[in-house]
């Protein structure tokens, strides 16, 4: 047998082995299963066109809309700022190809998987009049790690990404951007030159006089002057009411003001409405290095132990939890060096 003949035979054997190996990869049951499980619910090319998302669950309906490149939550006919990153994370999750193995292909499986259209949770993503995704979110699987999913109008059911269920069942407050000073303002501690704080009146329960005493009557007749704290930068530190202050504590306090959040919006009211609550119980003025200022004003403590607040330049009325109000309005001794 000549060298040329041997070479041809070896080449043929190698080619046959290569074909056999390739076939084993293509038709390997595990690889076929993994390939079939790879799936994305929303076409990634459609994400930039999505301008409306509706999340429907047993907890209610959350409607999100994009206007002028910003996301809002619609509630009672009013637009409230939404957490941009949270919306983007949801769209990224829905458009990312991940493992979503098929769990059923017949309509008979829908009830067992919690995927009947009448009782399943639902995520609808639209762009204008086009519906890009209408996704039904059903029960969790036996492991508790995945949730059953299917597109409305389709019989095929898959499972995966339990976080999808967490998004769709979130309360509307989880979608609100409740920062008093949104990230877009880019306010930083270094940019604050002076802070003027007018403390709310002390609660009656905090050291007040008996209601039937003569002194109490006099106190009601002549309200006590409001307590004001003035924080100002001085060299490399801070002063409070003209006295040297503990600079790290003041810096931390200013950062807490800039990062403060409400726990809800007060629906149906805006800071400019004549019907809005008065905000004359406490006030924080931030004077910035560029010559501008920002003002937080709060109203009286409500029966819920919360306070309503307004912020200069914002049309919204925020509801502040009591612990947030306490962080915003602090006593002078806390800052003394």
């Amino acid at each position: 047998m000549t060298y040329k003949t041997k070479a041809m035979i070896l080449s043929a054997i190698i080619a046959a082995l290569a074909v056999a190996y390739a076939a084993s990869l293509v038709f390997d049951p595990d690889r076929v299963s993994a390939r079939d499980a790879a799936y994305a619910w929303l076409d990634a090319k459609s994400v930039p066109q999505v301008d409306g998302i509706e999340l429907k669950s047993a907890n209610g309906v959350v409607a999100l809309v994009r206007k002028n490149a910003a996301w809002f939550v619609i509630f009672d006919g009013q637009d409230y700022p939404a957490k941009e990153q949270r919306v983007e994370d949801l769209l990224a999750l829905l458009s990312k190809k991940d493992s979503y193995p098929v769990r059923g292909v017949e309509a008979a499986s829908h009830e067992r998987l919690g995927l009947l259209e009448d009782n399943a949770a639902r995520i609808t993503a639209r762009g204008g009049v086009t519906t890009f995704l209408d996704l039904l979110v059903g029960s969790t699987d036996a492991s508790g790690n995945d949730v059953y999913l299917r597109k409305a109008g389709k019989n095929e059911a898959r499972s995966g990404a339990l976080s999808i269920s967490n998004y769709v069942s979130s309360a509307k407050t989880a979608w609100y951007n409740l920062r008093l000073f949104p990230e877009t303002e880019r306010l930083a501690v270094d940019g604050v030159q002076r802070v003027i704080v007018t403390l709310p009146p002390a609660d009656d329960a905090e050291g007040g006089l008996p209601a039937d005493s003569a002194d109490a009557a006099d106190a009601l007749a002549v309200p006590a002057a409001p307590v004001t704290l003035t924080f100002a930068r001085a060299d490399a530190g801070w002063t409070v009411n003209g006295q040297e202050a503990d600079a790290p504590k003041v810096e931390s306090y200013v950062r807490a003001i800039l990062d403060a959040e409400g726990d809800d919006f007060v629906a149906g009211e805006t800071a400019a409405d004549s019907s809005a609550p008065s905000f004359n119980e406490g006030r924080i003025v931030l004077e910035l290095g560029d010559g501008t200022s920002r003002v937080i004003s709060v109203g009286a403590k409500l029966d819920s132990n919360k306070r309503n607040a307004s912020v200069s330049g914002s049309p919204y009325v925020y509801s502040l939890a009591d612990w947030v109000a306490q962080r915003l309005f602090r006593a002078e001794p806390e800052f003394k060096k």
Side-chain angles (χ1 to χ4, degrees), residues 176-239:
Y176 284 156
N177 184 349
L178 288 159
R179 288 178 61 99
L180 302 188
F181 301 109
E183 298 88 343
T184 52
E185 290 205 37
R186 301 184 184 280
L187 300 181
V189 174
D190 291 346
V192 178
Q193 300 302 306
R194 191 162 72 148
V195 183
I196 304 171
V197 181
T198 302
L199 300 180
D203 294 341
D204 290 341
E206 297 176 1
L209 296 169
D212 58 352
S213 72
D215 289 340
D218 290 341
L220 290 174
V222 183
V227 176
T228 300
L229 308 182
T230 301
F231 300 88
R233 287 193 180 275
D235 298 325
W238 286 85
T239 62

Side-chain angles (χ1 to χ4, degrees), residues 58-222:
N59 293 328
V61 177
V62 175
L64 301 163
V65 63
R66 188 174 63 181
K67 297 180 179 181
N68 299 321
W71 283 96
F72 296 88
V73 180
I74 303 175
F75 183 67
D76 277 357
Q78 189 169 347
D79 297 344
Y80 296 96
K83 292 178 180 175
E84 300 279 338
Q85 190 60 55
R86 183 174 173 82
V87 179
E88 292 174 10
D89 288 346
L90 171 61
L91 291 173
L93 175 63
L94 294 173
S95 58
K96 177 186 176 183
K97 185 167 287 190
D98 206 341
S99 178
Y100 291 99
V102 175
R103 300 303 187 189
V105 294
E106 301 292 337
S109 67
H110 295 170
E111 183 174 6
R112 174 175 57 85
L113 303 178
L115 290 172
L116 293 176
E117 294 204 14
D118 291 339
N119 57 19
R122 199 167 194 146
I123 300 176
T124 307
R126 299 185 178 90
V129 297
T130 303
T131 298
F132 292 116
L133 177 65
D134 191 0
L135 179 65
L136 301 175
V137 183
S139 309
T140 55
D141 67 0
S143 71
N145 297 322
D146 291 327
V147 65
Y148 295 114
L149 305 152
R150 77 176 175 95
K151 289 185 176 181
K154 305 291 185 181
N155 284 336
E156 182 182 81
R158 293 174 178 261
S159 68
L162 182 61
S163 51
I164 292 178
S165 181
N166 297 333
Y167 277 110
V168 75
S169 61
S170 294
K172 69 179 186 300
T173 51
W175 295 94
Y176 284 156
N177 184 349
L178 288 159
R179 288 178 61 99
L180 302 188
F181 301 109
E183 298 88 343
T184 52
E185 290 205 37
R186 301 184 184 280
L187 300 181
V189 174
D190 291 346
V192 178
Q193 300 302 306
R194 191 162 72 148
V195 183
I196 304 171
V197 181
T198 302
L199 300 180
D203 294 341
D204 290 341
E206 297 176 1
L209 296 169
D212 58 352
S213 72
D215 289 340
D218 290 341
L220 290 174
V222 183

